[in-house]
Amino acid sequence: MFGILKPYPSPLISGRGIDLDFAMLAGCLALLGLGLVMITSASSEVAAVQSGNPLYHMFRHLVYVFLGLVACGATMMVPIATWQRMGFLMLLGAFGLLVLVLVPGIGREVNGSMRWIGFSFFNVQPSEIAKVFVVIYLAGYLVRRQTEVRETWMGFFKPFIVLLPMAALLLMEPDFGATVVMMGAAAAMLFLGGVGLFRFSLMVVLAVVAVFVLVQAQPYRMARLITFTDPWSDQFGSGYQLTQALIAFGRGEWFGVGLGNSVQKQFYLPEAHTDFVFSVLAEELGVVGSLLTIALFVFVTVRALYIGLWAEKAKQFFAAYVAFGLAFLWIGQFLINIGVNVGLLPTKGLTLPFLSYGGSSLVICCACVGLLLRIEWESRTHLGSEEHEFSESDFAEETNHGR
């Protein structure tokens, strides 16, 4: 098998053997391991009642972890130049998936939202794939139209011809959280791409106005916005999830009640192993465990930003924008999910990367790790341009090649 892959050098196959950014890999594997432990704990009671096997969700999550590691390895094998060439096709694929999920009979409705395409034993969430495809397409646009983006209004507005229809499709599911994360990452990429401060400020103002209009347009969004400021006013109604999450945080105190000893996961806290897994973690591991988990998230996202910076210094601008975009996708999801869990933001159905139960989210996160590891390797070995011809000398042993 490895003989077949030899013509395509990668961080997994090179003259130096396995040549990875081990700090990034270790951080992500630590999050994956912690996620497996917390999902096993948070889902045991629900799984025992629903399936008769308390480890049901753990076994399924292990399958997703395996698929995620395969996806990570596969993305590491693909040159960044190939992703750049496929940007437009990936954008079309993203639109196609978001349209398909809205087609009756193809899209599967769960908890009132059409966000999944159902197969026999698993669901695919197109929004998770679409967010990454948008980042890749937008990175290519920023490279192709760099001068236009920095100097003209048209270069600034063109990406929104693509982004706004995609946001509309996401809102039709509805998936307000994914829309906010995608648009936020796109805005950050445009800012790093050189958009002037005045135009960027105008975009921020328009985004705030758009969010206000969208909140006003749907009564349930306004109810969530009002409830989260005082969830105890409707403790057994619209504020139920948040009050139960806050109880979990309160019970955890400094060092937690102990792994597996959560009370809130016993049918008090809905979605304990998906959207609110961080609340169960806080209850069982306490403030100390929660802060260490957040520190691990911060390390991974900052490392991703540094990978983008290293690629930019190597003049591999497409790779740099992709790394920045992926980092901002993670940052957005981390902030929103944890903000919801602690009551700083209205309740949204947005998973916590690497930790929450969910096949699509986990596999896509792992694929993004592979992409980041590939970017880091190409920027470090200067093999990131389409014109570069690989030769044996490119992979000769070096005494100092790490960062």
Side-chain angles (χ1 to χ4, degrees), residues 47 149 216 231 237 255 292 317 343 349 380-381:
V149 168
Q216 292 281 352
F255 297 101
L292 288 174
F317 297 109
R380 174 159 46 82
T381 54

Side-chain angles (χ1 to χ4, degrees), residues 94-109 112-118 124 126 165-175:
F95 271 109
L97 288 171
L98 292 178
V99 170
L100 277 177
V101 77
L102 297 174
V103 176
I106 297 178
R108 178 176 292 180
E109 184 175 345
S113 299
M114 293 279 286
R115 300 179 187 175
W116 293 267
I117 295 177
V124 173
M166 188 162 290
L169 289 171
L170 287 170
L171 291 171
M172 289 171 67
E173 296 182 5
D175 196 342

Side-chain angles (χ1 to χ4, degrees), residues 95 98-99 101-102 114 134 160-176 178-180 182-183 214 218 221:
F95 271 109
L98 292 178
V99 170
V101 77
L102 297 174
M114 293 279 286
V134 164
F160 292 97
I161 298 174
V162 170
L163 292 171
L164 292 178
M166 188 162 290
L169 289 171
L170 287 170
L171 291 171
M172 289 171 67
E173 296 182 5
D175 196 342
F176 189 67
T179 307
V180 171
M182 182 190 74
M183 297 300 284
L214 289 171
Q218 294 290 341
R221 289 182 187 140

Side-chain angles (χ1 to χ4, degrees), residues 225-242:
L225 189 62
I226 295 171
T227 301
F228 100 95
T229 59
D230 184 15
W232 304 100
S233 63
D234 191 11
Q235 181 180 353
F236 299 103
S238 57
Y240 181 75
Q241 273 186 309
L242 181 52

Side-chain angles (χ1 to χ4, degrees), residues 301-351:
T301 52
V302 170
R303 190 74 179 181
L305 291 172
Y306 267 106
I307 288 173
L309 181 62
W310 294 330
E312 189 175 32
K313 288 182 177 179
K315 300 191 182 303
Q316 297 171 9
F317 297 109
F318 171 79
Y321 290 134
V322 170
F324 291 143
L326 295 179
F328 283 115
L329 285 180
W330 286 353
I331 290 170
Q333 288 193 227
F334 288 153
L335 292 177
I336 291 175
N337 184 278
I338 293 176
V340 165
N341 274 253
V342 300
L344 292 176
L345 294 172
T347 303
K348 296 305 306 168
L350 204 61
T351 58

